[in-house]
Amino acid sequence: MKVFVYSIHEFDKPFLEIAAKGKHHLMFTEQPLNEDTAIMAKGCDAVAIFTSDSASTKVLDKLHELGIKHIALRSVGFDHVDLKKAKELGMKVGNVPEYSPNAIAEHAITMILALNRKIISANRQVRDYNFKINNLIGFDLNKKTVGIIGTGKIGAVTAKILHGFGCKILAYDIEQNEYLKKYLNVEYVDLNTLCQQSDIITIHCPLNEQTRYLINKINIALMKDGVMLINTARGAVIKTEDVIEGLKTNKIGSLGIDVYEKEKGLFFEDHSNSIMKDVMFTQLLSFKNVLITGHQAFLTNEALQGIADTTIFNLDSWQADGVSKNDLI
Ligand code: NAD
């Protein structure tokens, strides 16, 4: 297949090229897919896109006009694709349903540990030869209550790791995982109870119409004073504006985010020589108890290998049979 690959990065290009084994003609651009760049895919059968791309109604119309029949997502999440429109247009959309849930779960845990033990401040102080530790007090994770929102593949691995720390685990999900209940003593509760009882809340559900702004001022008000909130899922699952208010009043004691609701056009690029126009983001950066990474939770060799292999598998399947087991529609 002739495939136009949008938003390619140095970190994923070699994995894709090796996985393709010369079977497909891959053409690359660092540019994201949008209404202006859709035209670049002219003459191709498929596009391969990343979370920073937009496959909105208008973009899909353009791709369809150009004869694109397949959209290979290099991600688990598909909130950046208008699936209803793609179906109407008869396009195939396939994702990477699982690559390494460990990568993302481990990143969430990294954030919990770094925030709790104030690792960033500690390192900064030591580099300044300031060895006073008065401001670096953390807490034992052992016996703390952690609320996991979304206990799918990533949430389940997160639960396993936290169980090892001796945490009590509460969970909120529209489907319960019997294994987690039986073997890790995970207790499913409603969202309000999870918010009320958790010392740490970590989010692992997809972004969809039900989960947009799932965490907002109403349930932040229910949370324990000083709660730690971690989001490695999608930015808009939390209402950032409300979380900032929670940080200002110390209701939220610390925040770790790998995703940000306005990350499109910001993350995955070097903006170090431009003026930051996103006031909400600069506000987040002003808090010492906020840790931000730029959507890198998936960035392990194992995950990149998995993404590349499944993306190529989807293209192979479409070429051979017209369908893939990872088709979303
Ligand atoms: P998954 O489909 O295995 O699990 C998602 C879980 O969320 C499921 O158990 C599902 O029942 C639950 N869920 C769905 N709707 C819900 C709702 N309204 N309320 C509560 N729970 C709900 O997916 P996964 O592989 O565990 O990935 C979870 C999310 O993590 C992805 O959708 C993606 O957005 C995000 N993600 C982020 C990164 C990153 O690099 N930061 C990488 C991969 C995935």
Side-chain angles (χ1 to χ4, degrees):
M1 266 191 192
K2 250 178 138 178
V3 187
F4 203 80
V5 185
Y6 286 92
S7 294
I8 196 69
H9 306 95
E10 240 174 78
F11 63 74
D12 56 353
K13 192 175 178 195
F15 285 93
L16 268 177
E17 284 179 324
I18 292 167
K21 295 185 187 130
K23 284 179 290 185
H24 302 281
H25 180 191
L26 304 181
M27 281 169 282
F28 298 98
T29 180
E30 289 180 10
Q31 292 196 55
L33 171 64
N34 55 40
E35 284 180 53
D36 299 327
T37 59
I39 187 72
M40 294 170 89
K42 193 175 175 188
C44 291
D45 310 294
V47 294
I49 68 171
F50 192 53
T51 51
S52 46
D53 294 308
S54 165
S56 63
T57 314
K58 283 187 180 165
V59 172
L60 289 174
D61 269 332
K62 289 202 171 167
L63 291 175
H64 184 248
E65 276 169 28
L66 296 168
I68 303 295
K69 294 182 190 64
H70 304 97
I71 303 180
L73 308 185
R74 307 193 317 270
S75 60
V76 177
F78 45 86
D79 48 279
H80 53 309
V81 184
D82 185 339
L83 287 181
K84 195 165 156 251
K85 180 70 185 179
K87 192 172 180 186
E88 268 171 41
L89 296 171
M91 292 167 124
K92 286 271 172 235
V93 182
N95 73 337
V96 181
E98 178 172 351
Y99 38 94
S100 167
N102 306 290
I104 298 92
E106 288 170 17
H107 193 80
I109 301 294
T110 304
M111 292 194 129
I112 293 174
L113 295 172
L115 280 167
N116 174 28
R117 304 308 294 268
K118 312 204 169 31
I119 296 297
I120 307 289
S121 297
N123 185 247
R124 200 177 294 133
Q125 286 177 205
V126 167
R127 282 171 183 276
D128 286 340
Y129 306 114
N130 171 7
F131 298 100
K132 286 181 88 76
I133 56 171
N134 298 330
N135 60 333
L136 303 178
I137 302 174
F139 55 82
D140 283 11
L141 276 175
N142 186 36
K143 296 200 166 58
K144 291 296 178 298
T145 301
V146 184
I148 301 181
I149 298 177
T151 52
K153 290 176 281 294
I154 297 169
V157 176
T158 307
K160 252 189 236 173
I161 301 172
L162 290 167
H163 185 257
F165 278 108
C167 297
K168 175 181 175 184
I169 303 166
L170 299 179
Y172 169 69
D173 197 309
I174 47 173
E175 280 174 35
Q176 301 198 358
N177 177 326
E178 294 304 320
Y179 176 91
L180 297 182
K181 278 162 67 173
K182 189 168 173 192
Y183 295 104
L184 305 181
N185 302 324
V186 171
E187 188 188 335
Y188 281 87
V189 293
D190 59 50
L191 184 59
N192 284 354
T193 306
L194 181 145
C195 289
Q196 281 162 343
Q197 296 185 6
S198 301
D199 299 295
I200 299 169
I201 296 172
T202 180
I203 301 171
H204 301 288
C205 63
L207 173 64
N208 55 37
E209 282 323 302
Q210 287 73 48
T211 62
R212 185 173 297 273
Y213 293 158
L214 189 71
I215 298 297
N216 54 56
K217 63 181 170 198
I218 297 170
N219 48 36
I220 291 172
L222 301 176
M223 292 178 190
K224 284 189 179 182
D225 289 343
V227 65
M228 180 189 291
L229 182 61
I230 305 290
N231 186 11
T232 56
R234 283 291 180 268
V237 178
I238 63 177
K239 189 158 191 206
T240 315
E241 214 184 310
D242 293 356
V243 168
I244 289 174
E245 273 316 300
L247 285 160
K248 280 187 192 161
T249 57
N250 295 323
K251 171 56 103 180
I252 297 176
S254 52
L255 172 73
I257 52 171
D258 183 55
V259 286
Y260 171 55
E261 63 173 298
K262 293 186 175 176
E263 70 177 57
K264 263 203 174 84
L266 177 64
F267 284 8
F268 304 114
E269 304 295 331
D270 181 359
H271 298 279
S272 56
N273 288 320
S274 42
I275 291 165
M276 175 54 63
K277 295 194 187 86
D278 184 335
V279 178
M280 195 156 78
F281 194 74
T282 50
Q283 215 176 350
L284 280 172
L285 289 176
S286 71
F287 295 100
K288 279 213 169 127
N289 48 352
V290 172
L291 178 56
I292 307 177
T293 50
H295 208 141
Q296 65 168 80
F298 68 97
L299 203 62
T300 66
N301 284 317
E302 292 79 0
L304 291 169
Q305 185 72 59
I307 293 169
D309 289 347
T310 307
T311 302
I312 299 301
F313 170 86
N314 287 341
L315 294 169
D316 289 348
S317 305
W318 288 331
Q319 184 160 275
D321 311 317
V323 290
S324 165
K325 66 173 180 157
N326 300 319
D327 284 347
L328 293 165
I329 45 174

